Amino acid sequence: MALKFFNTLSRSLQEFTPLDPAGKNAGMYCCGPTVYDLAHIGNFRTFVFSDLVRRYLEFRGFQVTHVMNVTDVEDKIIRNVRTAQIPLREFTGKFEQAFFDDLRTLNCRPPHQTPHATEFIAEMIALIEKLMERGVAYRTPDGSVYFSIDKYRALGGRYGQLVTLNFDNLRVGERVRNDEYEKESVADFALWKGRVPEDGAVFWPSPWGEGRPGWHIECSAMSMKLLGTSFDLHLGGEDLAFPHHEDEIAQSEGCGIHGPGQRFVKYWLHAAHLLVEGKKMSKSLGNFFTLRDLIAKGYTGREVRYLLLTAHYRESFNFTMDGLSAARTALARIDECLGKLTELAGSQAAAPAPELVAKFTEALDDDLNVAGAWGVVFEWVRQCNKALAEQSLTPAAAAAALAAWKRLDEVLGVSPVAAAEEVPAAMLALLEARQAARKAKDFKRADAIRDEMKAAGWVIEDTPKGPKLKKVS
Ligand SMILES: [Zn+2]
């Protein structure tokens, strides 16, 4: 079966075939965080979803280039920098650090590139200049530049590809300066915002005077610079489809750099929103959670990741504390089974059991049907437990089952990674003894200890920061 995704662009399920003629490389852009606050659990639903897409493409043998931007200049940031009265970089830096720490807690693979908007101002200006040359952008007396929806449509551009828009109320030249606006506002949007006193020290020079870029142009400039003018996948939360992604398409395709039939992005994937305890998250309702809030309640990143991965990405998901408790129970069931299998397999090694991997693949090929995939996992756990209880499983079969799980977990990422890497106390004691022997210049003893550790499956790597232990698999 072929891998299929629901493409918002065509509103249909489509087989995934990358633009790369060799069918190997896949470029993927995901709108990253706007670093003005800690990201909340709703934001992380989108990032865990992106991680699932990335991991699954890799599992299916694609060579993925994953780009996620960091929006470090935007309306909300400017507002908060003004309140905090500290330099932009200092303000955004701490939220950016927290965001990447949270991604690690959720065991998301780090994107290959994480461009900052403020480092691509030249590319944004170049893109706006192209739009000016084509007559689809215009300068206003305050030194701002706007995208003309009317001119874009006159040139054959289609505005309203990801969402259905009503053009009956379109008043030509009507403008919206804010980065975020309602679907009803089909109006010219800001590409460059002329400097106003409220911007404080946040501005750059441009051919149109001092100012700062609009949010939408940031993603067009960074994605095309790093992935090429046409790339495979663009991901984000469904709330970004309009205006942000619609504007990205208009800006990118409106600057006339695409050949006939060429598109800015081939597949647009959007993750639905998240409710908490059945309601839209809000601070006043007390159901607003950052990842740190959940960790402080005693939950782990692994449990949160698992829970976020139980819902199909296109369905709105009700995140609850009961759900987190259930996640803990479900993971414990998997862990217990894996523990028994590990014990039985002993030092046996085997190729992954093909049937489990095949069923799992079949489920996820269908637009990332995670419910189906988890169904496969738990049916497998049930059967393993049964066979273990009946003592009908051979060590070789246990090893094959474990190897298959390892394949699955490359996608799911829910194994307790940190715990598996933990160094046993006995090895730490041996390491200490070896260090002592070396200090005493008893190299014969030091080498003997090293050999003993190696036999137990641990190698010592001497680094400038001291010796490190690594498990050999
Ligand atoms: Zn974006």
Side-chain angles (χ1 to χ4, degrees):
M1 208 175 102
L3 168 59
K4 285 181 185 156
F5 290 129
F6 185 89
N7 189 353
T8 316
L9 200 58
S10 64
R11 273 100 159 154
S12 65
L13 275 180
Q14 281 184 316
E15 185 177 333
F16 178 72
T17 48
L19 294 163
D20 173 19
K24 181 85 181 154
N25 297 308
M28 168 175 142
Y29 185 88
C30 178
C31 289
T34 300
V35 281
Y36 72 105
D37 204 348
L38 288 173
H40 57 64
I41 199 67
N43 302 131
F44 283 116
R45 178 183 194 189
T46 305
F47 296 111
V48 169
F49 154 67
S50 310
D51 185 57
L52 173 69
V53 175
R54 145 100 182 261
R55 283 170 175 262
Y56 193 60
L57 288 169
E58 288 175 341
F59 173 88
R60 291 291 259 105
F62 296 102
Q63 184 77 44
V64 181
T65 305
H66 177 190
V67 178
M68 185 196 71
N69 69 301
V70 176
T71 298
D72 58 353
V73 55
E74 180 265 0
D75 292 351
K76 292 192 285 289
I77 294 176
I78 304 269
R79 191 187 62 211
N80 289 17
V81 163
R82 199 167 62 233
T83 316
Q85 295 199 316
I86 54 172
L88 181 77
R89 211 53 213 249
E90 197 181 312
F91 176 80
T92 57
K94 63 175 190 233
F95 292 116
E96 181 180 335
Q97 183 61 48
F99 176 78
F100 283 105
D101 288 348
D102 287 353
L103 270 195
R104 248 191 315 278
T105 304
L106 289 169
N107 197 21
C108 291
R109 286 188 180 157
H112 301 101
Q113 302 212 52
T114 51
H116 292 78
T118 53
E119 286 159 5
F120 286 78
I121 303 287
E123 283 79 4
M124 294 169 202
I125 290 175
L127 211 54
I128 299 170
E129 282 186 311
K130 282 201 181 79
L131 292 167
M132 289 287 268
E133 278 163 29
R134 290 197 85 214
V136 290
Y138 60 94
R139 187 180 186 274
T140 52
D142 68 347
S144 298
V145 178
Y146 282 85
F147 184 91
S148 166
I149 292 182
D150 191 47
K151 295 274 171 50
Y152 173 60
R153 294 176 83 205
L155 279 179
R158 229 181 92 213
Y159 192 73
Q161 300 194 34
L162 299 173
V163 289
T164 309
L165 298 170
N166 181 3
F167 286 94
D168 293 348
N169 320 328
L170 175 67
R171 283 196 294 248
V172 173
E174 193 169 343
R175 295 189 291 268
V176 50
R177 184 180 162 96
N178 293 346
D179 284 330
E180 287 174 86
Y181 50 90
E182 296 298 314
K183 205 161 133 182
E184 287 66 39
S185 313
V186 182
D188 293 358
F189 56 90
L191 298 164
W192 186 262
K193 303 183 182 194
R195 187 181 167 194
V196 290
E198 294 79 55
D199 290 347
V202 185
F203 63 88
W204 289 264
S206 86
W208 315 285
E210 288 168 345
R212 61 185 172 95
W215 172 37
H216 317 301
I217 198 75
E218 297 180 4
C219 281
S220 284
M222 290 184 282
S223 63
M224 292 201 289
K225 171 79 181 180
L226 297 172
L227 291 168
T229 51
S230 288
F231 57 93
D232 297 293
L233 297 135
H234 196 312
L235 278 56
E238 65 178 357
D239 54 322
L240 295 189
F242 188 89
H244 186 53
H245 291 161
E246 196 63 51
D247 290 350
E248 277 190 46
I249 296 178
Q251 296 161 151
S252 307
E253 298 187 351
C255 64
I257 51 178
H258 295 90
Q262 260 190 336
R263 303 300 313 265
F264 164 48
V265 172
K266 192 168 179 187
Y267 303 92
W268 285 89
L269 271 58
H270 289 101
H273 62 277
L274 176 138
L275 301 170
V276 176
E277 305 291 347
K279 294 200 174 72
K280 192 171 180 239
M281 242 192 307
S282 89
K283 284 185 177 157
S284 60
L285 283 176
N287 67 346
F288 185 98
F289 295 117
T290 63
L291 181 62
R292 282 135 202 258
D293 293 334
L294 299 172
I295 303 289
K297 283 176 181 289
Y299 295 104
T300 63
R302 187 183 173 222
E303 288 158 356
V304 175
R305 178 183 174 91
Y306 171 86
L307 183 56
L308 290 174
L309 280 178
T310 52
H312 191 268
Y313 74 94
R314 285 196 289 123
E315 283 165 15
S316 62
F317 179 56
N318 186 20
F319 189 96
T320 63
M321 292 304 137
D322 285 349
L324 274 177
S325 301
R328 179 165 293 177
T329 311
L331 287 170
R333 261 187 82 199
I334 296 176
D335 290 351
E336 197 192 341
C337 178
L338 293 174
K340 286 185 200 153
L341 288 172
T342 308
E343 208 175 297
L344 177 60
S347 56
Q348 278 262 358
E355 199 189 331
L356 176 63
V357 179
K359 281 186 184 161
F360 178 81
T361 308
E362 195 182 319
L364 288 185
D365 268 358
D366 179 18
D367 194 29
L368 303 171
N369 175 7
V370 283
W374 286 116
V376 169
V377 168
F378 285 104
E379 175 56 23
W380 166 75
V381 168
R382 199 185 65 79
Q383 284 178 7
C384 282
N385 284 339
K386 188 164 169 266
L388 284 160
E390 290 166 353
Q391 299 191 330
S392 61
L393 213 59
T394 63
L402 281 172
W405 166 258
K406 219 171 160 187
R407 278 288 283 148
L408 269 49
D409 196 51
E410 283 167 23
V411 178
L412 301 170
V414 295
S415 275
V417 185
E421 301 281 16
E422 231 160 54
V423 182
M427 289 302 122
L428 288 174
L430 280 174
L431 181 67
E432 221 164 280
R434 175 191 176 249
Q435 291 305 99
R438 275 167 66 108
K439 224 173 168 182
K441 303 213 184 300
D442 186 355
F443 296 111
K444 209 173 152 194
R445 165 129 182 87
D447 287 351
I449 296 174
R450 187 197 60 205
D451 292 343
E452 188 184 339
M453 292 174 75
K454 200 173 170 190
W458 291 86
V459 288
I460 303 167
E461 279 179 351
D462 287 304
T463 74
K465 283 186 183 165
K468 267 174 93 175
L469 283 180
K470 224 179 122 186
K471 184 121 179 82
V472 280
S473 46

